Amino acid sequence: MNVVWSPDYEVDIGAHVFPVRKYRLVKERLVADGVISEADLVRPGPASEEDLLRVHTPDYLRKIREDDLTDSERLALEVPFSAELRDAMILCCGGTTECGRRALADGVSVHLGGGFHHAFADHGEGFCLLNDVAVAARALLAEDVVEHAAVVDLDVHHGNGTAAIFADDPAVFTFSMHQENNYPAVKPSGDLDVGLPDRISDDDYLSILDRHLSHVLRDHGFDLVFYLAGADPYREDQLGGLGLTRDGLRERDRLVLGACRRRAIPVAVVPAGGYALETNDTIEIHCNTVREASACASRATS
Ligand SMILES: [Zn+2]
């Protein structure tokens, strides 16, 4: 299975709860464990200005190009803005687009980067500068290789930017299942929003997910799913308050990937958030997602 990744995602943001080294560490562990080889890695190119403009406003893109964000815009971002960060995020938008394209060809594809779902058309927030999944979805819609896509967002935080971007766009269905009592305080309506109680268990989480996902996938005839496999529903996440275990999260991945495969819907997987007290847990949760995707890909071709 090809995995999209770039070493340039590891931007220096100083001491921060966001472990930017996770992308490289996940890649290294997957190679060490033989899940993928170096030859499976695909280096993305940056998203074009045209691609970015299908989602983001010209004024916002100018501001980040010219390093002209206001103080409040920099504050809302919660990561230090730099040209290096901007270039990494533009590359990441290209990476998720590449991942979507490969999912259409191969049934399942993984990007070790992306899921920046708090980025809106005209501003970034919550560590998210550009909305890579939105850029990818609109690029593939513009190419006419996709007619109706879904975003299945299982990060612990509501996908507010994605919901707002696609609020009036029937071509993209947004499903977010998240902790209700968590950032963002304001949660713009997506097509389906499921707010979960604090500390929910694996079993309760999985049964709620199964019920909603079955309806979503059955009723709409999607030709591509973007799956945000956030590691932050983990019970020991510093920015999350759900009660899932590592095994529960792996079961979640199996459930989503299996549901898509049974319906022959291609699925593009991105990691989204993950801030476990022990970074090793975040790495392992993301690796498990890729292990499940790899198992799914080999079943699809056998
Ligand atoms: Zn998150």
Side-chain angles (χ1 to χ4, degrees):
M1 183 181 68
N2 289 131
V3 167
V4 182
W5 171 78
S6 170
D8 299 332
Y9 295 159
E10 195 169 345
V11 174
D12 182 7
I13 58 170
H16 200 283
V17 69
F18 191 115
V20 286
R21 65 191 184 284
K22 76 178 185 178
Y23 304 115
R24 173 177 51 83
L25 295 176
V26 169
K27 187 273 285 185
E28 287 173 355
R29 186 168 303 175
L30 292 168
V31 171
D33 291 356
V35 180
I36 58 171
S37 70
E38 291 282 351
D40 293 324
L41 294 166
V42 175
R43 297 283 185 91
S48 68
E49 187 75 3
E50 187 185 11
D51 289 337
L52 298 174
L53 279 167
R54 288 193 198 95
V55 170
H56 295 287
T57 63
D59 189 50
Y60 180 50
L61 293 176
R62 182 198 60 76
K63 283 179 183 173
I64 66 169
R65 198 169 45 242
E66 297 175 6
D67 194 356
D68 192 28
L69 295 168
T70 65
D71 289 348
S72 67
E73 286 168 335
R74 285 174 207 276
L75 217 57
L77 208 49
E78 297 187 82
V79 283
F81 179 82
S82 65
E84 193 191 6
L85 178 79
R86 174 198 60 214
D87 292 347
M89 293 299 110
I90 293 174
L91 189 60
C92 186
C93 289
T96 298
T97 307
E98 180 65 30
C99 180
R101 208 171 273 126
R102 286 177 183 267
L104 292 171
D106 302 337
V108 58
S109 181
V110 175
H111 180 202
L112 297 182
F116 292 104
H117 57 167
H118 302 311
F120 289 69
D122 62 353
H123 74 277
E125 60 176 66
F127 315 157
C128 302
L129 187 72
L130 296 168
N131 196 310
D132 57 291
V133 167
V135 169
R138 286 258 166 86
L140 298 171
L141 286 159
E143 286 175 26
D144 278 334
V145 290
V146 169
E147 282 184 20
H148 197 196
V151 178
V152 174
D153 185 342
L154 300 184
D155 190 274
V156 79
H157 304 102
H158 177 255
N160 55 345
T162 316
I165 287 165
F166 293 118
D168 298 315
D169 186 346
V172 179
F173 185 98
T174 57
F175 168 34
S176 176
M177 199 167 105
H178 48 267
Q179 184 189 8
E180 186 62 28
N181 180 31
N182 201 330
Y183 171 91
V186 177
K187 299 174 176 63
S189 295
D191 292 293
L192 176 61
D193 294 301
V194 179
L196 300 169
D198 298 354
R199 311 311 303 173
I200 192 170
S201 68
D202 286 342
D203 286 350
D204 289 347
Y205 180 98
L206 292 167
S207 92
I208 294 169
L209 174 61
D210 192 22
R211 179 155 45 86
H212 287 293
L213 192 63
S214 300
H215 287 158
V216 167
L217 296 183
R218 189 190 63 206
D219 295 345
H220 294 89
F222 300 116
D223 37 23
L224 180 62
V225 164
F226 289 95
Y227 171 33
L228 282 76
D232 49 13
Y234 181 48
R235 63 200 307 174
E236 291 174 37
D237 195 275
Q238 299 173 87
L239 302 184
L242 297 182
L244 274 75
T245 64
R246 285 179 13 176
D247 286 346
L249 285 161
R250 187 164 186 165
E251 190 60 38
R252 171 201 69 170
D253 297 335
R254 201 176 293 136
L255 195 159
V256 174
L257 292 160
C260 292
R261 192 174 64 92
R262 274 196 304 283
R263 293 168 180 83
I265 305 171
V267 54
V269 186
V270 296
Y275 318 92
L277 273 170
E278 301 290 339
T279 298
N280 183 56
D281 287 338
T282 297
I283 303 307
E284 191 57 19
I285 292 164
H286 288 319
C287 283
N288 282 341
T289 302
V290 184
R291 291 180 182 114
E292 290 300 325
S294 176
C296 187
S298 53
R299 276 195 294 271
T301 53
S302 63

